Amino acid sequence: MKKSYTSLLAMLAMMVVLVSSTSAAGSSVTGAQTESGSGSAASAEVKKTYVICIDPGHQLKGNNQKEPIGPGATEKKPKVSSGTQGVATKKPEYVLNLEISLKLKKELEKRGYKVVMTREKHNVNLSNKERSDIAGKANADLFIRIHADGDNSPKTEGFSVLYPAQSNKYTKAIYAKSKLASEYIQQGMKSATQAKSKGVVPRSDLTGFNWSKVPVTLVEVGFMTNPAEDKRMSTNAYQDKLVAGISAGVDKYFQK
């Protein structure tokens, strides 16, 4: 009887050890799962991919049919003008705009942005409203319009960055963000190119602004009516500087 009692005690002791071991193992697994779970949550926190819509201004042929300058407007303007032309290079503005825009697309994609283009060829027929619609349908975080300038005087030079005016009834919802993006892009371009800057300019007469539902900016990269600037804007080296400056401004706007 004594021997059986001793054996029973030994068996109970072994069971206690087994239960303790299993409990410890379960605790260890639970801890590992908790750590793994928090790690998964952290890895699931993915940074937002910002969408940029780039509009290379103008096209092969202008379209003088009229469209309203804004939602509900009675005033109308040509759907898209033909743009200017280089006095030295003889290059049409729509060609220069696309050259720079495609380089900007490549650079922004390299920096992690998703880029939507309104056009990637010259033979299109897109009004300024339709270009804004493309940016809106893409739910773009920023709409960048690329243009070049012209003037009666061949001495006029420099780039400028345009944004919707605060007084513009069509763009009140996007005014603040548009202005901020334009300011950062102007700063970036000034730093990258060291070119003369004509500043950040508010506008209320641009159809492409007035129809926009997303923050919008328009970059006038320089004057094609200035022989020296015209030639410079067609060089790869200067186009790369323009793109670097615009991209730096975009990064600053999104705090990247």
Side-chain angles (χ1 to χ4, degrees), residues 11-223:
M11 288 176 65
L12 287 171
M14 287 178 66
M15 289 176 66
V16 169
V17 170
L18 285 170
V19 169
S20 298
S21 300
T22 304
S23 176
S27 175
S28 175
V29 169
T30 302
Q33 287 176 339
T34 301
E35 288 181 9
S36 174
S38 63
S40 297
S43 62
E45 189 178 335
V46 180
K47 289 185 177 179
K48 172 180 168 64
T49 299
Y50 293 105
V51 179
I52 310 295
C53 181
I54 301 174
D55 175 35
H58 305 288
Q59 57 198 29
L60 180 63
K61 295 180 181 179
N63 185 344
N64 287 322
Q65 291 182 5
K66 301 291 182 69
E67 66 181 353
I69 64 166
T74 55
E75 182 184 351
K76 295 183 178 182
K77 290 175 65 175
K79 289 186 173 183
V80 57
S81 65
S82 55
T84 189
Q85 180 174 316
V87 291
T89 62
K90 305 304 178 185
K91 179 182 292 184
E93 182 192 344
Y94 66 82
V95 173
L96 178 67
N97 293 341
L98 186 57
E99 286 176 357
I100 295 169
S101 294
L102 290 174
K103 288 185 176 183
L104 180 60
K105 174 181 185 286
K106 185 177 180 180
E107 178 61 27
L108 289 176
E109 287 178 337
K110 190 167 71 174
R111 295 180 184 223
Y113 298 96
K114 178 182 176 181
V115 177
V116 174
M117 301 287 288
T118 60
R119 70 176 180 95
E120 293 190 73
K121 58 183 182 179
H122 302 312
N123 191 16
V124 298
N125 187 16
L126 291 168
S127 76
N128 287 308
K129 176 190 179 299
E130 289 169 336
R131 293 163 191 251
S132 295
D133 289 344
I134 291 171
K137 288 176 183 176
N139 198 24
D141 296 288
L142 185 61
F143 180 27
I144 303 176
R145 306 175 66 200
I146 301 296
H147 283 254
D149 230 330
D151 191 71
N152 291 328
S153 171
K155 294 182 180 179
T156 305
E157 65 176 316
F159 72 88
S160 57
V161 185
L162 317 183
Y163 67 95
Q166 186 173 13
S167 60
N168 189 346
K169 66 180 180 180
Y170 302 112
T171 54
K172 290 187 180 298
I174 60 172
Y175 156 73
K177 289 184 177 180
S178 298
K179 182 182 180 184
L180 184 62
S182 300
E183 288 172 342
Y184 285 149
I185 288 173
Q186 188 271 342
Q187 293 167 13
M189 291 178 69
K190 180 66 178 175
S191 177
T193 66
Q194 298 299 307
K196 180 178 180 180
S197 171
K198 300 180 76 66
V200 182
V201 184
R203 295 284 292 271
S204 59
D205 60 327
L206 302 180
T207 306
F209 279 179
N210 297 346
W211 282 98
S212 184
K213 302 300 183 186
V214 300
V216 58
T217 183
L218 188 153
V219 180
E220 296 277 11
V221 294
F223 283 82

